[in-house]
Amino acid sequence: MQERRLIRRVLPHVYDFKTVWKKEGPFRYALTSSDFPFVLLEEEEWIFADDPVVLLKELMQWDRRKMKMVKAPVAEKTNQAIRFERLSRWRIKNFPEEWAPLINDMFTPSGQVAEKVVPADGMETQENMEKSFFDHLGQKIHEIGYILLEPVAAIDPDAAHVEDYLKEWEEDERDAGLI
């Protein structure tokens, strides 16, 4: 079984990122905020992991908040007052309040999960719903204010593709006179 490496670091400069990447990496996934104010992360904070679900759960603070996918009946009246055409009968218990203002099509501010998150095979077990939620979240994470660097099969399927991001970051620091 693959080791589940996970680290969180505040990395204010590209040099700091490169140092962590060289000493503790490479990692398959790297995530930071693309928006201000920062949500669920500190300023300049990065999360690194080899498993996308481990990374996303760390971002959401899944274990610390004792989050869990649970069945939750949907009242038809409520269903029509919310953005979604349809809601699933699942919600995430202890959902992050910090995500309440986010506009997305996967969940409501209270953590009610949209029907589009239901697995394609229709098997709505807790495990399948959780897996499907994190699959969708990983695909849409950039739409809710985060940058997710991940492997590119043609370049390196075992490590996040960070080169383009680091070049741009280094140019920004050079332009700002930081390096």
Side-chain angles (χ1 to χ4, degrees), residues 6-174:
L6 171 76
I7 63 169
R8 283 182 91 127
R9 296 279 192 284
V10 174
L11 306 171
H13 303 289
V14 70
Y15 173 80
D16 302 319
F17 184 102
K18 287 179 177 181
T19 300
V20 167
W21 195 259
K22 185 176 181 180
K23 288 184 178 180
E24 300 184 54
F27 295 91
R28 293 202 66 196
Y29 300 90
L31 179 132
T32 193
S33 180
S34 63
D35 285 350
F36 182 85
F38 309 99
V39 180
L40 299 177
L41 290 172
E42 293 180 37
E43 184 175 359
E44 308 295 347
E45 186 175 20
W46 285 84
I47 302 174
F48 299 94
D50 291 326
D51 181 307
V53 173
V54 169
L55 182 135
L56 294 170
K57 282 186 172 185
E58 177 65 21
L59 172 66
M60 294 176 71
Q61 301 166 17
W62 189 270
D63 292 333
R64 281 188 297 271
R65 294 174 189 242
K66 297 180 180 168
M67 296 172 74
K68 185 177 182 180
M69 186 73 69
V70 296
K71 281 219 172 185
V74 177
E76 294 304 318
K77 283 184 182 178
T78 307
N79 195 12
Q80 294 174 9
I82 299 175
R83 291 188 303 268
F84 303 113
E85 230 178 86
R86 306 226 4 152
L87 294 176
S88 75
R89 299 235 179 252
W90 293 86
R91 71 176 183 83
I92 299 172
K93 182 179 170 188
N94 300 326
F95 193 76
E97 291 177 23
E98 297 88 341
W99 279 4
L102 298 179
I103 298 171
N104 68 85
D105 60 357
M106 293 176 295
F107 53 80
T108 69
S110 64
Q112 189 79 31
V113 178
E115 203 170 69
K116 73 180 300 181
V117 175
V118 173
D121 65 8
M123 298 295 293
E124 291 188 43
T125 65
Q126 179 183 0
E127 185 178 300
N128 287 348
M129 287 298 297
E130 189 175 306
K131 180 186 179 326
S132 185
F133 173 77
F134 283 108
D135 287 347
H136 279 80
L137 183 60
Q139 293 168 15
K140 302 270 188 157
I141 195 78
H142 65 282
E143 293 178 14
I144 59 172
Y146 299 92
I147 295 169
L148 176 63
L149 304 177
E150 52 193 334
V152 175
I155 297 170
D156 184 355
D158 295 323
H161 180 64
V162 299
E163 289 77 18
D164 294 340
Y165 186 85
L166 293 180
K167 280 182 196 173
E168 187 177 323
W169 190 0
E170 198 164 25
E171 287 173 17
D172 290 346
E173 285 190 359
R174 192 171 287 113

